[in-house]
Amino acid sequence: MRTAKLLIASVLAFGLGIAAASAAETPKVPTQKWAHTGFFGTFDRAELQRGYQVYKEVCAACHAMHQIRFRNLAGIGLSEAEIAALAKEYEVTDGPNDEGEMFQRPARPADRFKSPFPNQQAARAANGGAYPPDLSLIAKNRVGGENYIYALLTGYKETPPAGVTVMEGMHYNEWFPGHQIGMAPPLSADRVTYADGTKATLEQHAHDVSVFLAWASSPHLEARNSLGLKVMLFLFILAGLLYATKRKVWRNIKH
Amino acid sequence: MAQPGSTTITEGEGRKHPDGTTRRDFLYLSAGAFAGTGAALTGWAFIHSMNPAADVLALASTEVNLAPIAVGQAITVTWRGKPVFVRHRTAEEIAKAKEDDKADLRDPQTDARRVQKPEWLVLVGVCTHLGCVPLGQKPTDAKGDYGGWFCPCHGSHYDTSGRIRRGPAPLNLAVPSYAFTNDTSIRIG
Amino acid sequence: MAKYDYVPSPFMANSIVKWVDHRLPIFSLIDHELIKYPAPRNLNYLWNFGSLAGIMLVVMILSGIFLAMNYNPSTAGAFDSVERIMRDVNYGWLIRYIHMNGASMFFIVVYIHILRGLYYGSYKYPREILWWLGIVIFIAMMATAFMGYVLPWGQMSFWGATVITNLFSAFPIVGEHIVLWLWGGFSVDNPTLNRFFALHYLLPFVIAGVVLLHLWALHVHGSNNPLGIDAKGPQDKIPFHPYYTAKDAFGLAVFLIFYAYFVFFSPYSLGHPDNWIEANPLVTPAHIVPEWYFLPFYAVLRAVPDKLGGVLLMFGAIVILFLLPWLDTSRVRSARFRPVYRVFFWLFVICCLVLGYAGSQPAEGLPLILGQVATIWYFAHFLVFLPLLGWFERPLPLPASIAEPVLGGGKSGTVAASKPMEKA
C-alpha cells in the first residue's frame, strides 16, 4: 500500500510542521479542567454569571470589552428584563440631538459595554503607561487561552525568586512573559461577594472570570460543537455510502 | 502522442434485479440524495447569512420625544432606516379622519384602530405602492386631495389618518408598533 | 496505437440535448471531457488531490463572497466588521471558519498535489506546460492568501503586510518606489487595505481561469499514472465516469471530515493568536511569523544575512520549479522505478519540513543553521542532484503497459532497464 504510506507520510509531515510552528512560544501553562472544552463542551451558566460579576466589579475598572454588547449577556443566561435593567446602570454618550449636542442617556441592550477610558491614550496615562488590553478576545489572542488567564491571575508572587529584582510599580508574575507585569494582583479571596453564595476563593474568582472571558471570545462555541457533531456524523455516513459505491463501481476492474 | 485506446469496459455493470434496477443504482441514489441534502443545508447557512444580523435586529427601536411638537406640526424620525412620520393632529384633522371612517375606503380601517391617542398619528412614511416617501410633512408640502400626504412618484393620496384614498397604492400607510413610555414620549419598535 | 473510439453517453440522444448541442456543444464537451474521458486505470488516491484543489477553490470563492458582503475594507472598520461577522451575522462564524481554515486546507491539498507530481514525474514530457500552469496557480494562490490574511486587520495582518511589502525595497534604485506604490502611502494603511481587498477578490477568478488552462493542457495527453508509462492501448484506460467520479467523491468525503474537524473543533489552531488583536502600527508583536504554509519560504528568505540576497533566493526557490522539467534529466517518470531518486525525494520532503520548522523559529542559533543547511539542500536538489541522478541512476525495469501488471499475469521486466520509457 504505497499510496497509503505516502498519504500518511504527507499528513504526518503536515502535522510536524504545525507542531513546530506552535512550539516556539512562552512556557506552557498548566491546563485546567473546563466544562466547555472537548467535543461535547458547554459553558456552565452559573460559572459564566459569576465570572461576569468578577469582570464587572473588578476588571471593568481598567479593561474594556469593546466587542461585547449588553444583549450578548443572554448567552450567559440572563433574561431580557435582567439585561435591560443591567444596561440602565450605565450612562452612555449619544447624539447629536436636534440642537447638535451630544447627550448622556442610560445604556440599552444594543449598546456596547462601556469602556472605562475614552481612548487608548487615556487608558495608558491612567495606568502608568501600561495599556490594559481589551478583554473581548483575550482568550483567543493569548497563547494558552483561558488556561493562561487562569495561570496569570493566580500566578502572582509577593516575593520574587532570589536574584530577580522587580522594577518600581511592577509585580512579579510567574506566567507573564518577562515575569514583570504592570497590573497589581487584581483578585484575592472574597474580593467579590457571589450572589449565589459560592465560596469566593482566589482560585474560584480566577476560574469563573476565565470561563466568562472564554465565552466572550467564542460566544458561538456551543453552537459550533453541536453543529460540528452533526456534521461529523453526516460526513461519516456519507463517506461510508460513497465508499460502498466506489467498491461497487470498481468491483470488476482490476487495478 | 497516441490517443488513449477505446474503452471496452463492460465489466462494471451490476447484476440486474428482476425489475431492472441494480444494487449500484440504489447506492447511487442514496449517496446522491445524502450528499444533496448536505449541500442544501450548507447552502441554507450561506443564504441565511444575508438575512438581518443580530446587531441589526437589536437596533430595532427608537425613542421619540413628543413635547416639542406643536399642534398641527409633524416630524420625521428614522426607525430601522426608514422615515417615520409623527404628526400632532389638529381637532379638525381628527374630526375629518373619524368622519371618513364611513367613506368608501380601499383598505378599510377606522381611525380609532390606527392611533393610540387621537392627537398623535404615527406612520411609517413609505408609500405602499413602490416605496417612495410621500410629501405632507412640511407646511409648504402638497398634502394631496384629502389633507394628509401625497406621494409624488405615482400620485397616491392619503388622508389625515394616513389611509389610501386615491392613486395606485394598495394599502394604508403602515402603523409601526409603538408604545407611550410616558405622556410625552413614545418608543417605536 | 489504437484509436480512441468515442461512444456517446445515452443522454446525448435526448432531443433537447441534441438541439442545444448543435448550437453550443456544451454537452459534447461534458461527455468527452468528464464522462467518457479516458483515464489510466491505475490512478491511486494521490490523484484525488487535483479535483480536491478545484473544489477548495470553489469553496473559497463562495465563502469569500459571502464574507465580502459583510466586510468593511477600512482600517477603522475592518477588525470590528470581522468580529461582527463572527458574533452577529447568521452563521457568520461558520462561513468565516470555513474560509479561514479553507486557506490552510487549500495549501495542504496543493502541496500534496505538487509532491505527487514530483514523485511520479508528472512534470516531464509532454506535460511541461501543464506543470508551468500549476506553478502559476501556486504563485497566484500565495499572493491571494497573503492579501487575504491582511484583511482582518489584526496585528499579524498588519505586520505581515509590512514585512512582505518591504521585501521589495531590497531591489536597488526602484525598490523604494515599488514599496510606496504597493502601499499607496508611506506605510501599510487604508489605501493598502483597500487595494488588497480589491485584489484578493479578483485573483481567485484569475486562478479559476488558469485552472481551466491547466485542465485543458491535462486533457491533451491525459493524466500521468503511478507507473509513469504511457497508455499503450484500450486495456490501459477506463472512462472517467463512473470510475473516477466515484473514487473522487469518496476521497472528497474523507477530506471533508478532516476539514470539518478543524472548522468545528479546532478553528484557530492553524492561525496565530496575535491576529485576534487589532492592528497597531506602533507596537510590533514579539515574534512575527507568517501562516504555516509560507514558513519554508520564510526560512529561505532569512537564510542569507543579506537583504537583497534573501529576497532573490526566496523568489528563486519558486522560480526554479519552472526549470524542473529540464533539470531532471532522467527519462523515467515514476519514482517507483528510480530507487535513488526515491530516496532523494523523501530527503527533499524532509528538507521542506526542516525549512518549515526553521521558518517558525526566531532567526538565530540552531534553527538559523538548520534553515541555512536546508536552503542549500533545497537548491542542490534541483541544481545538482536531479541533473546528476539522470546520468548515474540505473532505473528498474519498466512494465510493458499499465494493464500488464494487473492483467498480464506474467512478470514485468521484459523491457530492459537501460531502455527508459518510450516517448510514444
Side-chain angles (χ1 to χ4, degrees), chain A residues 1 8 15 18 23-24 68 70-71 88-89 104-105 115 119 137 152 154 167-168 183 204 223 248:
Chain A
M1 290 254 56
I8 291 166
I18 298 302
I68 312 295
F70 291 104
R71 64 178 161 82
K88 267 196 196 133
E89 294 174 18
Q104 295 287 315
R105 62 160 173 80
S115 297
N119 49 52
L137 284 161
L152 184 90
T154 54
M167 284 192 295
E168 182 66 30
M183 174 169 74
Q204 187 69 44
K248 269 273 172 269

Side-chain angles (χ1 to χ4, degrees), chain C residues 131-318:
Chain C
W131 174 254
W132 281 353
L133 290 167
I135 304 165
V136 171
I137 293 170
F138 179 51
I139 293 171
M141 263 180 75
M142 291 200 285
T144 311
F146 160 68
M147 289 190 281
Y149 194 58
V150 178
L151 303 186
W153 206 241
Q155 273 289 67
M156 279 295 166
S157 300
F158 179 86
W159 292 101
T162 301
V163 168
I164 300 299
T165 49
N166 263 316
L167 289 182
F168 292 91
S169 70
F171 296 109
I173 306 166
V174 291
E176 293 293 333
H177 299 282
I178 293 178
V179 174
L180 280 189
W181 175 77
L182 283 174
W183 288 341
F186 299 102
S187 63
V188 174
D189 208 336
N190 212 41
T192 326
L193 182 59
N194 259 266
R195 61 189 61 185
F196 278 17
F197 179 53
L199 293 172
H200 180 72
Y201 205 117
L202 168 72
L203 273 178
F205 297 96
V206 174
I207 294 177
V210 184
V211 165
L212 288 182
L213 295 180
H214 190 66
L215 286 173
W216 187 8
L218 172 71
H219 281 219
V220 174
H221 292 286
S223 297
N224 184 29
N225 64 80
L227 297 177
I229 57 175
D230 290 325
K232 297 289 192 301
Q235 73 282 3
D236 288 347
K237 298 243 179 177
I238 47 177
F240 193 81
H241 180 75
Y243 298 103
Y244 287 111
T245 40
K247 198 165 182 171
D248 279 352
F250 169 60
L252 173 64
V254 174
F255 167 72
L256 286 180
I257 291 172
F258 179 72
Y259 187 1
Y261 169 77
F262 280 97
V263 168
F264 290 102
F265 300 110
S266 198
Y268 22 94
S269 59
L270 296 174
H272 197 286
D274 275 342
N275 223 32
W276 297 97
I277 304 174
E278 189 167 4
N280 181 351
L282 303 179
V283 183
T284 308
H287 179 203
I288 299 184
V289 281
E291 290 285 85
W292 67 266
Y293 38 81
F294 290 140
L295 289 175
F297 297 105
Y298 195 53
V300 173
L301 170 74
R302 302 189 304 180
V304 201
D306 174 71
K307 193 171 173 183
L308 182 59
V311 171
L312 289 178
L313 215 54
M314 188 181 77
F315 290 131
I318 301 163

Side-chain angles (χ1 to χ4, degrees), chain A residues 118-253:
Chain A
N119 49 52
Q120 264 204 38
Q121 286 80 347
R124 271 185 202 286
N127 288 282
Y131 170 61
D134 187 286
L135 296 184
S136 14
L137 284 161
I138 201 82
K140 270 182 182 171
N141 64 32
R142 291 294 185 272
V143 177
E146 50 270 46
N147 289 312
Y148 170 77
I149 299 169
Y150 181 87
L152 184 90
L153 290 174
T154 54
Y156 283 92
K157 295 266 183 302
E158 260 182 55
T159 44
V164 177
T165 42
V166 176
M167 284 192 295
E168 182 66 30
M170 302 296 263
H171 309 270
Y172 185 87
N173 191 302
E174 205 179 334
W175 300 105
F176 190 71
H179 300 303
Q180 300 203 30
I181 184 168
M183 174 169 74
L187 301 175
S188 53
D190 296 320
R191 180 75 172 74
V192 164
T193 310
Y194 281 131
D196 64 2
T198 305
K199 194 165 165 12
T201 60
L202 166 66
E203 287 72 20
Q204 187 69 44
H205 282 120
H207 178 88
D208 291 345
V209 81
S210 301
V211 173
F212 173 70
L213 294 174
W215 166 82
S217 285
S218 311
H220 291 297
L221 181 136
E222 290 173 353
R224 209 176 73 209
N225 277 349
S226 84
L227 182 59
L229 288 171
K230 288 172 200 138
V231 168
M232 281 294 181
L233 183 67
F234 172 87
L235 285 176
F236 273 105
I237 296 172
L238 180 66
L241 278 172
L242 288 172
Y243 183 65
T245 308
K246 189 252 162 192
R247 284 280 299 253
K248 269 273 172 269
V249 167
W250 281 80
R251 189 184 45 204
N252 295 327
I253 298 284

Side-chain angles (χ1 to χ4, degrees), chain C residues 47-61:
Chain C
W47 264 262
N48 281 44
F49 287 85
S51 72
L52 285 181
I55 287 163
M56 277 317 301
L57 178 64
V58 173
V59 167
M60 293 305 278
I61 289 179

